[in-house]
Amino acid sequence: MGKLVNEFNEYRTRMNDRVMETANTNIKRFFALDTTSYAEGALNLKTKEMLGLVASMVLRCDDCIKYHLGKCHEAGVTSEELNEVFMIANLVGGSIVIPHYRRAVEYWDELSASDKTIQ
């Protein structure tokens, strides 16, 4: 993976471990709820991750956007599908989402570049 992806994943893992060192029961339950909500169910994992990405973009959370981009990549979301996700996010969120869209494209490009090095 590229620098952006590695730095984000390393930081997220390190800080989640740190948070869990002192987290109370409610925080641990919230983290567990977040994890289980994205499990396969009536909606498949890929759909849930695309929904999470749209919500994250509309809410303008760059960490959440990166996380869901990574999960979308793992779930096999194509660049064509991702462009439709971005279209919906910009439509719902308005022009304020455009800076997050730019950073999301940059991050997706880095994720996608790793596919090309594997082949």
Side-chain angles (χ1 to χ4, degrees):
M1 291 286 159
K3 182 181 176 187
L4 287 173
V5 175
N6 287 334
E7 286 177 356
F8 173 74
N9 288 332
E10 289 170 7
Y11 176 79
R12 185 177 184 280
T13 298
R14 184 177 74 251
M15 292 313 298
N16 279 350
D17 290 346
R18 175 64 184 106
V19 165
M20 286 301 147
E21 288 175 8
T22 58
N24 64 29
T25 301
N26 289 331
I27 292 292
K28 290 178 181 178
R29 286 180 181 155
F30 183 79
F31 271 63
L33 176 63
D34 181 63
T35 299
T36 58
S37 294
Y38 285 92
E40 290 281 339
L43 296 175
N44 64 36
L45 178 73
K46 185 176 173 180
T47 300
K48 288 182 177 185
E49 288 301 338
M50 289 188 290
L51 289 169
L53 179 56
V54 167
S56 297
M57 290 186 73
V58 170
L59 292 169
R60 302 184 306 272
C61 176
D62 281 333
D63 278 9
C64 301
I65 292 167
K66 288 176 183 175
Y67 175 79
H68 288 291
L69 283 168
K71 290 298 186 179
C72 283
H73 185 259
E74 290 173 15
V77 172
T78 67
S79 292
E80 292 78 20
E81 290 170 321
L82 194 68
N83 281 324
E84 291 193 17
V85 168
F86 290 154
M87 178 189 68
I88 298 299
N90 280 281
L91 179 66
V92 173
S95 62
I96 192 71
V97 175
I98 292 172
H100 302 276
Y101 177 31
R102 289 184 193 115
R103 289 188 290 274
V105 168
E106 177 185 30
Y107 198 81
W108 184 258
D109 285 348
E110 194 168 287
L111 286 166
S112 297
S114 68
D115 296 339
K116 294 173 183 126
T117 60
I118 294 171
Q119 297 173 355

mmCIF file of all heavy atoms in Angstrom, residues 20-39:
data_model
loop_
_atom_site.group_PDB
_atom_site.id
_atom_site.type_symbol
_atom_site.label_atom_id
_atom_site.label_comp_id
_atom_site.label_asym_id
_atom_site.label_seq_id
_atom_site.Cartn_x
_atom_site.Cartn_y
_atom_site.Cartn_z
ATOM 1 N N MET A 20 -9.079 1.641 23.655
ATOM 2 C CA MET A 20 -9.618 0.465 24.331
ATOM 3 C C MET A 20 -8.935 0.175 25.668
ATOM 4 O O MET A 20 -9.504 -0.501 26.524
ATOM 5 C CB MET A 20 -9.532 -0.769 23.427
ATOM 6 C CG MET A 20 -10.540 -0.758 22.322
ATOM 7 S SD MET A 20 -12.229 -0.681 22.978
ATOM 8 C CE MET A 20 -13.026 0.258 21.704
ATOM 9 N N GLU A 21 -7.730 0.710 25.869
ATOM 10 C CA GLU A 21 -7.043 0.528 27.152
ATOM 11 C C GLU A 21 -7.848 1.126 28.301
ATOM 12 O O GLU A 21 -7.812 0.613 29.417
ATOM 13 C CB GLU A 21 -5.657 1.186 27.126
ATOM 14 C CG GLU A 21 -4.637 0.471 26.291
ATOM 15 C CD GLU A 21 -3.328 1.248 26.207
ATOM 16 O OE1 GLU A 21 -3.153 2.270 26.923
ATOM 17 O OE2 GLU A 21 -2.471 0.830 25.407
ATOM 18 N N THR A 22 -8.542 2.218 28.052
ATOM 19 C CA THR A 22 -9.257 2.914 29.128
ATOM 20 C C THR A 22 -10.756 3.039 28.878
ATOM 21 O O THR A 22 -11.460 3.667 29.655
ATOM 22 C CB THR A 22 -8.672 4.335 29.315
ATOM 23 O OG1 THR A 22 -8.783 5.046 28.081
ATOM 24 C CG2 THR A 22 -7.218 4.269 29.769
ATOM 25 N N ALA A 23 -11.236 2.440 27.785
ATOM 26 C CA ALA A 23 -12.646 2.597 27.412
ATOM 27 C C ALA A 23 -13.562 1.954 28.445
ATOM 28 O O ALA A 23 -13.283 0.875 28.959
ATOM 29 C CB ALA A 23 -12.892 1.977 26.045
ATOM 30 N N ASN A 24 -14.676 2.647 28.708
ATOM 31 C CA ASN A 24 -15.672 2.056 29.593
ATOM 32 C C ASN A 24 -16.582 1.131 28.795
ATOM 33 O O ASN A 24 -16.459 1.010 27.574
ATOM 34 C CB ASN A 24 -16.456 3.150 30.341
ATOM 35 C CG ASN A 24 -17.264 4.031 29.408
ATOM 36 O OD1 ASN A 24 -17.705 3.612 28.339
ATOM 37 N ND2 ASN A 24 -17.475 5.273 29.818
ATOM 38 N N THR A 25 -17.488 0.502 29.467
ATOM 39 C CA THR A 25 -18.375 -0.477 28.831
ATOM 40 C C THR A 25 -19.169 0.135 27.683
ATOM 41 O O THR A 25 -19.334 -0.486 26.626
ATOM 42 C CB THR A 25 -19.334 -1.078 29.879
ATOM 43 O OG1 THR A 25 -18.529 -1.693 30.902
ATOM 44 C CG2 THR A 25 -20.243 -2.122 29.274
ATOM 45 N N ASN A 26 -19.675 1.341 27.862
ATOM 46 C CA ASN A 26 -20.482 1.957 26.806
ATOM 47 C C ASN A 26 -19.679 2.236 25.545
ATOM 48 O O ASN A 26 -20.181 2.046 24.437
ATOM 49 C CB ASN A 26 -21.150 3.239 27.317
ATOM 50 C CG ASN A 26 -22.251 2.937 28.303
ATOM 51 O OD1 ASN A 26 -22.877 1.891 28.242
ATOM 52 N ND2 ASN A 26 -22.487 3.857 29.230
ATOM 53 N N ILE A 27 -18.451 2.700 25.691
ATOM 54 C CA ILE A 27 -17.596 2.932 24.522
ATOM 55 C C ILE A 27 -17.315 1.603 23.823
ATOM 56 O O ILE A 27 -17.391 1.504 22.593
ATOM 57 C CB ILE A 27 -16.274 3.625 24.920
ATOM 58 C CG1 ILE A 27 -16.533 5.059 25.391
ATOM 59 C CG2 ILE A 27 -15.269 3.590 23.771
ATOM 60 C CD1 ILE A 27 -17.011 5.993 24.297
ATOM 61 N N LYS A 28 -17.000 0.573 24.589
ATOM 62 C CA LYS A 28 -16.744 -0.740 23.988
ATOM 63 C C LYS A 28 -17.979 -1.259 23.262
ATOM 64 O O LYS A 28 -17.874 -1.835 22.177
ATOM 65 C CB LYS A 28 -16.281 -1.728 25.054
ATOM 66 C CG LYS A 28 -14.884 -1.409 25.558
ATOM 67 C CD LYS A 28 -14.445 -2.358 26.646
ATOM 68 C CE LYS A 28 -13.050 -1.969 27.117
ATOM 69 N NZ LYS A 28 -12.557 -2.808 28.201
ATOM 70 N N ARG A 29 -19.147 -1.051 23.826
ATOM 71 C CA ARG A 29 -20.387 -1.468 23.173
ATOM 72 C C ARG A 29 -20.609 -0.689 21.880
ATOM 73 O O ARG A 29 -21.065 -1.243 20.887
ATOM 74 C CB ARG A 29 -21.572 -1.273 24.112
ATOM 75 C CG ARG A 29 -21.641 -2.297 25.211
ATOM 76 C CD ARG A 29 -22.826 -2.049 26.104
ATOM 77 N NE ARG A 29 -22.858 -3.031 27.173
ATOM 78 C CZ ARG A 29 -23.441 -2.845 28.341
ATOM 79 N NH1 ARG A 29 -24.069 -1.697 28.599
ATOM 80 N NH2 ARG A 29 -23.419 -3.787 29.250
ATOM 81 N N PHE A 30 -20.315 0.600 21.909
ATOM 82 C CA PHE A 30 -20.481 1.419 20.709
ATOM 83 C C PHE A 30 -19.558 0.932 19.592
ATOM 84 O O PHE A 30 -19.976 0.801 18.443
ATOM 85 C CB PHE A 30 -20.234 2.902 21.005
ATOM 86 C CG PHE A 30 -20.466 3.774 19.814
ATOM 87 C CD1 PHE A 30 -21.754 4.123 19.438
ATOM 88 C CD2 PHE A 30 -19.406 4.217 19.035
ATOM 89 C CE1 PHE A 30 -21.981 4.909 18.312
ATOM 90 C CE2 PHE A 30 -19.621 4.997 17.912
ATOM 91 C CZ PHE A 30 -20.909 5.346 17.550
ATOM 92 N N PHE A 31 -18.302 0.674 19.914
ATOM 93 C CA PHE A 31 -17.364 0.155 18.921
ATOM 94 C C PHE A 31 -17.858 -1.180 18.379
ATOM 95 O O PHE A 31 -17.779 -1.439 17.177
ATOM 96 C CB PHE A 31 -15.964 0.004 19.526
ATOM 97 C CG PHE A 31 -15.100 1.235 19.420
ATOM 98 C CD1 PHE A 31 -15.458 2.424 20.044
ATOM 99 C CD2 PHE A 31 -13.909 1.201 18.719
ATOM 100 C CE1 PHE A 31 -14.662 3.550 19.958
ATOM 101 C CE2 PHE A 31 -13.094 2.323 18.625
ATOM 102 C CZ PHE A 31 -13.478 3.506 19.242
ATOM 103 N N ALA A 32 -18.366 -2.035 19.257
ATOM 104 C CA ALA A 32 -18.888 -3.342 18.825
ATOM 105 C C ALA A 32 -20.114 -3.168 17.927
ATOM 106 O O ALA A 32 -20.267 -3.880 16.933
ATOM 107 C CB ALA A 32 -19.227 -4.204 20.036
ATOM 108 N N LEU A 33 -20.987 -2.220 18.266
ATOM 109 C CA LEU A 33 -22.164 -1.959 17.452
ATOM 110 C C LEU A 33 -21.752 -1.488 16.059
ATOM 111 O O LEU A 33 -22.312 -1.927 15.048
ATOM 112 C CB LEU A 33 -23.061 -0.910 18.120
ATOM 113 C CG LEU A 33 -24.293 -0.469 17.335
ATOM 114 C CD1 LEU A 33 -25.243 -1.644 17.132
ATOM 115 C CD2 LEU A 33 -24.998 0.665 18.066
ATOM 116 N N ASP A 34 -20.764 -0.636 15.997
ATOM 117 C CA ASP A 34 -20.268 -0.155 14.714
ATOM 118 C C ASP A 34 -19.758 -1.331 13.884
ATOM 119 O O ASP A 34 -20.076 -1.447 12.697
ATOM 120 C CB ASP A 34 -19.155 0.869 14.931
ATOM 121 C CG ASP A 34 -18.617 1.416 13.619
ATOM 122 O OD1 ASP A 34 -19.385 2.063 12.890
ATOM 123 O OD2 ASP A 34 -17.433 1.172 13.327
ATOM 124 N N THR A 35 -19.008 -2.218 14.496
ATOM 125 C CA THR A 35 -18.458 -3.371 13.784
ATOM 126 C C THR A 35 -19.560 -4.314 13.309
ATOM 127 O O THR A 35 -19.582 -4.711 12.141
ATOM 128 C CB THR A 35 -17.477 -4.142 14.694
ATOM 129 O OG1 THR A 35 -16.408 -3.259 15.050
ATOM 130 C CG2 THR A 35 -16.909 -5.359 14.000
ATOM 131 N N THR A 36 -20.491 -4.646 14.186
ATOM 132 C CA THR A 36 -21.529 -5.617 13.817
ATOM 133 C C THR A 36 -22.543 -5.041 12.828
ATOM 134 O O THR A 36 -23.141 -5.790 12.062
ATOM 135 C CB THR A 36 -22.263 -6.157 15.062
ATOM 136 O OG1 THR A 36 -22.840 -5.066 15.786
ATOM 137 C CG2 THR A 36 -21.316 -6.925 15.969
ATOM 138 N N SER A 37 -22.708 -3.734 12.816
ATOM 139 C CA SER A 37 -23.657 -3.121 11.876
ATOM 140 C C SER A 37 -23.225 -3.297 10.429
ATOM 141 O O SER A 37 -24.061 -3.311 9.522
ATOM 142 C CB SER A 37 -23.821 -1.630 12.173
ATOM 143 O OG SER A 37 -24.442 -1.467 13.428
ATOM 144 N N TYR A 38 -21.939 -3.458 10.199
ATOM 145 C CA TYR A 38 -21.435 -3.623 8.839
ATOM 146 C C TYR A 38 -21.272 -5.091 8.440
ATOM 147 O O TYR A 38 -20.744 -5.388 7.365
ATOM 148 C CB TYR A 38 -20.121 -2.854 8.653
ATOM 149 C CG TYR A 38 -20.376 -1.377 8.536
ATOM 150 C CD1 TYR A 38 -20.367 -0.550 9.652
ATOM 151 C CD2 TYR A 38 -20.674 -0.811 7.306
ATOM 152 C CE1 TYR A 38 -20.640 0.806 9.542
ATOM 153 C CE2 TYR A 38 -20.949 0.545 7.182
ATOM 154 C CZ TYR A 38 -20.925 1.339 8.309
ATOM 155 O OH TYR A 38 -21.198 2.682 8.190
ATOM 156 N N ALA A 39 -21.763 -6.011 9.250
ATOM 157 C CA ALA A 39 -21.717 -7.436 8.897
ATOM 158 C C ALA A 39 -22.796 -7.749 7.861
ATOM 159 O O ALA A 39 -23.762 -6.999 7.707
ATOM 160 C CB ALA A 39 -21.933 -8.281 10.154
#
